[in-house]
Amino acid sequence: MADTNSDWKKALKSKETFHDFIINYFKEHQELTGSYDIPSYYEHYVVKLDKHEQLIITLTTGMNQSGDNVSIPLPMKEKEKMSIEDFRTLILNKKFADQNMSLADVFQTVAGVQSTNDDNSK
């Protein structure tokens, strides 16, 4: 794939083309990851494609420890399954395709991770 930042937007026009794009993307990239970190808080997400062609979005959130003997809650992990077509519909409804966003940015938004200017995708 030459330019995944624009190719996914072109693929959105067709259910079948977008499906094929996502399948091929995850054949080349085992997962897509991103994160948001500030001194007191973090969010990390991982997106994978399962054997049933469902997108699995795992979001881990937690508090960063500061100081000695600080009691902090364990990280919270949430998983969401989404069909490729549901993901395409969400993108179209949210008008992500009209914005200057990469596929990683869209997954980050869907996962609920706060936006950063860094490209943390793999």
Side-chain angles (χ1 to χ4, degrees):
M1 279 173 233
D3 181 13
T4 57
N5 284 341
S6 62
D7 289 350
W8 71 270
K9 291 179 185 180
K10 292 175 190 167
L12 276 174
K13 296 175 185 172
S14 160
K15 177 180 177 177
E16 294 78 16
T17 304
F18 189 72
H19 179 271
D20 292 344
F21 175 84
I22 293 294
I23 298 298
N24 290 329
Y25 180 88
F26 282 102
K27 282 181 183 174
E28 293 180 23
H29 308 87
Q30 295 296 310
E31 61 184 29
L32 187 136
T33 63
S35 64
Y36 172 78
D37 283 291
I38 59 174
S40 61
Y41 178 78
Y42 64 87
E43 297 176 324
H44 302 282
Y45 74 92
V46 177
V47 182
K48 295 182 177 184
L49 188 68
D50 71 9
K51 63 183 176 185
H52 304 290
E53 297 186 350
Q54 295 279 310
L55 295 167
I56 308 298
I57 303 169
T58 305
L59 176 65
T60 304
T61 58
M63 305 298 289
N64 289 321
Q65 185 173 358
S66 60
D68 294 335
N69 299 324
V70 175
S71 176
I72 57 173
L74 294 173
M76 185 173 70
K77 186 180 269 189
E78 298 175 54
K79 274 192 180 182
E80 182 176 344
K81 276 189 175 185
M82 182 180 294
S83 73
I84 293 171
E85 180 55 19
D86 285 348
F87 180 59
R88 184 178 89 90
T89 302
L90 180 66
I91 293 171
L92 292 171
N93 289 339
K94 294 280 188 175
K95 308 250 187 270
F96 293 137
D98 297 339
Q99 301 173 20
N100 187 22
M101 295 180 83
S102 69
L103 185 61
D105 293 334
V106 175
F107 274 120
Q108 182 169 316
T109 303
V110 171
V113 177
Q114 296 190 33
S115 180
T116 63
N117 292 332
D118 298 332
D119 181 11
N120 295 324
S121 64
K122 286 185 178 176

